[in-house]
Amino acid sequence: MIERLFEQALGETLLHKKAVEKMLAGLKVLPLPADNGNTLSWDDVLIYPTLRNLTMVKGLVIPAHVSHYIQAIAALTGTHTYYDRAI
């Protein structure tokens, strides 16, 4: 998807992390499931997997409101994040 060899992409980690952190910082406050009677919306179904996968990036700065959202959806769905296995 980024049209680079793995080795090249790995060498550009800081560049990619900065781009993702900028995108995350621009996310508006996400409605929590508790605001919807603890039910998932289609937005949750579409955005949560991507945000959850980003928890495997060691040292990625995830804004507090996004982290709170990830934790709330993880609890509701019984899934785990990757913070403890981040590389």
Side-chain angles (χ1 to χ4, degrees), residues 23-69:
M23 182 273 309
L24 290 172
L27 282 178
K28 296 180 181 176
V29 175
L30 302 165
L32 298 174
D35 299 337
N36 296 329
N38 281 331
T39 59
L40 296 175
S41 70
W42 276 110
D43 288 340
D44 299 323
V45 171
L46 295 172
I47 195 170
Y48 171 69
T50 299
L51 294 175
R52 176 182 178 233
N53 287 340
L54 288 174
T55 67
M56 72 177 71
V57 180
K58 190 173 191 173
L60 184 70
V61 177
I62 299 177
H65 72 282
V66 177
S67 181
H68 187 72
Y69 171 83

